[in-house]
Amino acid sequence: MTLDRRRIQTLDLAADSDTAWAHLRRPELIRRWYGYDHDGLPAEIDRVFGSTVRTLADGLRRELEWPDGTAVRLSPTGDSHRTTVTVERPSHDGLSHYDGVRDPVDEKWVADIHQLEFALAVHPGEERRTWSAVGLDAGPRQDRLLDRVGLHGVRGLPVHGHLEAVRPDGVHVGGRLVYRTELQFGLRLHGPSDALLVVLERPSVAHEANGRIDVVLSTYGLDDDAFATVAARWDAWWGVPARS
């Protein structure tokens, strides 16, 4: 029986096939783009990319396939230094986690594959450190969180357009819109570390009138002190409670 799949993302990676494949198979390379830093990330990588995934590496074809029907495929572009990655997911028919508006697995793969593209294109060979805030209150219609942090302009910005926001401390934060979908977007932020900001929106449900927002900032080349400064500023900017 042929599985009915949907193509949810196709991107051109700035890497040859061997390098791109290694970033899908080697845990130390996967953590340079997958998800965000937390205590359980190594176990999550092992669970997702470990023994449950079926691999195929046959000549030019390189594929990963998961029991839930997700497939990630690499294919040549005609340029030996570039590789196309495609993510496919099964039809929504019968999926219990799909509420008709948002498929959380779809959304995570879209975000992660854009993180992979950024890591290979902008920071190849570099280790990543992330700041994240998950489950932030999106706020009521008249006081949305994205408006408060200065990112309301994303709604009308064309992909590759420039956005500038102002933090509460008066510092301007500028970036280029890398991608945007109905429920998420990515900004390449200007600055010494050339970071990527990914914002995912979770629409409201019956018990959460305002909805939620997940934010991940991927940074590179920051030492402990510099990263601590960044984290403190972003906590203040997004209204994140004091962390233990």
Side-chain angles (χ1 to χ4, degrees):
M1 181 177 66
T2 301
L3 185 64
D4 183 16
R5 287 195 176 100
R6 301 166 290 115
R7 179 176 295 189
I8 66 167
Q9 192 66 69
T10 296
L11 291 175
D12 187 17
L13 303 178
D16 60 67
S17 181
D18 288 342
T19 300
W21 184 245
H23 279 74
L24 294 172
R25 302 308 304 134
R26 292 170 51 187
E28 72 275 17
L29 299 182
I30 293 170
R31 69 178 301 146
R32 292 179 179 175
W33 60 272
Y34 179 78
Y36 56 89
D37 294 332
H38 61 92
D39 290 343
L41 181 59
E44 180 181 346
I45 290 173
D46 182 63
R47 182 178 70 253
V48 173
F49 294 90
S51 59
T52 61
V53 64
R54 184 182 69 85
T55 64
L56 171 65
D58 179 14
L60 296 178
R61 295 188 303 165
R62 295 191 177 187
E63 303 177 2
L64 298 177
E65 185 174 329
W66 282 264
D68 70 353
T70 301
V72 175
R73 297 187 174 91
L74 299 179
S75 56
T77 64
D79 179 344
S80 61
H81 300 293
R82 306 193 73 83
T83 306
T84 296
V85 61
T86 299
V87 182
E88 294 182 346
R89 297 267 300 127
S91 165
H92 280 135
D93 293 342
L95 290 184
S96 60
H97 68 261
Y98 178 60
D99 60 8
V101 176
R102 177 180 181 271
D103 184 326
V105 181
D106 281 9
E107 297 299 325
K108 186 175 188 325
W109 272 112
V110 170
D112 286 336
I113 290 301
H114 277 95
Q115 294 274 25
L116 172 61
E117 178 196 35
F118 183 77
L120 290 173
V122 183
H123 294 284
E126 296 183 43
E127 299 300 326
R128 179 183 69 150
R129 302 182 73 165
T130 64
W131 172 91
S132 61
V134 177
L136 298 175
D137 187 337
R141 184 182 299 275
Q142 66 275 17
D143 186 29
R144 304 295 289 171
L145 175 59
L146 292 183
D147 295 342
R148 294 200 304 270
V149 299
L151 295 180
H152 53 281
V154 167
R155 296 187 184 97
L157 193 68
V159 173
H160 306 309
H162 179 79
L163 179 75
E164 189 163 300
V166 182
R167 294 197 316 235
D169 59 7
V171 174
H172 288 249
V173 179
R176 178 174 61 84
L177 185 65
V178 177
Y179 76 97
R180 182 181 58 222
T181 69
E182 228 178 292
L183 294 174
Q184 65 174 280
F185 62 85
L187 283 170
R188 178 175 174 177
L189 301 180
H190 306 319
S193 72
D194 210 352
L196 179 66
L197 172 68
V198 172
V199 177
L200 297 93
E201 299 184 66
R202 291 190 256 156
S204 60
V205 293
H207 61 283
E208 290 182 351
N210 298 334
R212 296 286 171 179
I213 288 179
D214 301 335
V215 191
V216 176
L217 176 72
S218 290
T219 70
Y220 298 80
L222 300 182
D223 60 23
D224 290 346
D225 290 340
F227 182 77
T229 298
V230 167
R233 286 175 175 170
W234 280 71
D235 280 349
W237 187 19
W238 288 80
V240 175
R243 308 191 192 214
S244 57

